[in-house]
Amino acid sequence: MLERAKSLIDEDPDECYRICQTYLSEHPDSHVAYTLSGVVNYRAERYGAALAFFNAALALNPNQAELHNWVGTVWHELKEPGRARDYLRRALELKKNPLYMTGIGATYTEEGNHQEAIKWARKAQAIEPDLIHAKQVLAFAQLALGDWENGWQNYRANLGGRFRKKLSFDNAPDWDGGPVNRLVVYGEQGLGDEIMFASCIGDIKADDLVIECDPRLEGLYRRSFPSAEVHGTRRQDRDWNVTCDAQVAVGDLPAFFRPTRESCPRKPYLTADPERRMMWRALFKSWGKPVIGLTWTGGKQASQYTKRMMGLESLRPLIETTDAVFVSLQYKDPREEIEASGLPVRHFSALLSDDYDDTAALVAELDSVMGIHTTAHHLAGALGVPGTVFVPDAPMWNYATGDRLPWYAEQVFFRQRKSEKWADCVRRFMSVRQPVLEAA
């Protein structure tokens, strides 16, 4: 029965899980069934359930290195790097495996200790030089430390992994950066990353450039890249000619065009709809004050969601002491949180559709964008709108060094101190930035 479950774990994980649960009802001491159940839940990002199953398997088989590795991996996903490292080190004691070494390196990346992450990745490469996981750990650590030339080359190893899906267009080869006739550039990450990496599109020299993007970006990209053929068919059926000479993921473009932070042009590259801008301009002008867009929650479990939960309440010191009108740029409907806070924050959830052109027109008319880093900051930077990005302690790689997002001219960082509450961080910001706000 369990052999059949193993054979189905990729093809039909639900059936694999059902078989394991049936087996466990009669064989509650089967560490194999617990392990398979843990893997199914881990892949489905049900980390709490996965942890319970792996711990049950570990209790039955405490000296199996791979089970310690699985428990450590889940704790890493749950953003508990210290606990994760304890299990990964135990796995390494039981079995010298370079994958366990890269896992330990990844926990240091989560804590912002990038030099230690590099050390562990190098240990893994000493055993297995071409190990993809080692390149992935190196990529984020090198990029965080400003070594973009090597970081972007290693970053390409992420393509085809869990967070960067590799696509195929007519089985075309991957682009090598050289002259090409018809080239397809495709999105493969979140909306913010897709916008950020699009800053490289203007550097491409191709006779026939095709962009496949998130459907929400299609109108904005068609206007912004008028010489390109744009299709908003990402994750959808394609009804256009996919034949091409080469293809490239948008996240691989920096390896060709951004060897250093200084190589970013820091110029606006997206163009919002002028007619929609006119509507927002008329409204904002009628208020007679600066208009500031706010972001206070962003990300998912894999992108530091817990660290990026500022909450609207933490922005109270900014809102109550600044003579401006504040507008929500939250992706999800913020009405309930705004009403609960009693703060004078406006929202236009009913007016903003899935067409990101609507949001782009609003953002283009703002005086500034402030708050935790979200897609709104990438959009603002790409449109040339200034902003202040509140950066959590031990942030993601692209916020780890420098005083601003290098892709844009005026998305400036304000960093949270270790163990500092967000409200205290905002108060500290107000004490040093008040003249800047008044000037705006």
Side-chain angles (χ1 to χ4, degrees), residues 235-301:
R235 305 188 190 92
Q236 297 181 357
D237 293 333
R238 303 185 183 105
D239 57 358
W240 48 278
N241 177 20
V242 299
T243 302
C244 59
D245 300 298
Q247 62 181 44
V248 62
V250 71
D252 280 356
L253 293 178
F256 301 111
F257 302 117
R258 301 290 183 264
T260 65
R261 293 167 62 90
E262 292 70 31
S263 60
C264 295
R266 294 189 177 182
K267 296 179 180 179
Y269 53 91
L270 295 184
T271 304
D273 182 352
E275 292 188 358
R276 285 183 247 198
R277 285 189 64 171
M278 189 182 304
M279 178 189 74
W280 294 111
R281 187 184 312 132
L283 176 62
F284 294 169
K285 188 176 180 180
S286 71
W287 293 340
K289 295 181 179 182
V291 183
I292 299 174
L294 295 179
T295 61
W296 59 83
T297 304
K300 299 178 180 179
Q301 180 71 38

Side-chain angles (χ1 to χ4, degrees), residues 4 31 84 141 202 227 229 254 283 297 305 318 352 362 422 426 440:
R4 173 164 170 73
H31 68 87
S227 62
E229 177 185 326
L283 176 62
T297 304
Y305 175 74
L318 168 67
L352 300 178
L362 183 157
W422 276 119
V426 175

Side-chain angles (χ1 to χ4, degrees), residues 1 20-30:
M1 183 181 288
C20 287
Q21 299 315 293
T22 300
Y23 190 83
L24 284 169
S25 66
E26 298 178 4
H27 305 85
D29 58 349
S30 172

Side-chain angles (χ1 to χ4, degrees), residues 367-386:
D367 293 283
S368 180
V369 174
M370 296 183 177
I372 200 70
H373 55 88
T374 70
T375 299
H377 281 283
H378 291 295
L379 180 62
L383 292 167
V385 176

Side-chain angles (χ1 to χ4, degrees), residues 152 191-200 221 269 378 397-399 405 407-408:
W152 289 124
L191 204 63
D193 288 327
E194 196 167 345
I195 290 172
M196 178 178 72
F197 291 130
S199 72
C200 299
Y221 274 21
Y269 53 91
H378 291 295
W397 65 268
N398 42 346
Y399 301 90
L405 278 167
W407 311 90
Y408 320 115

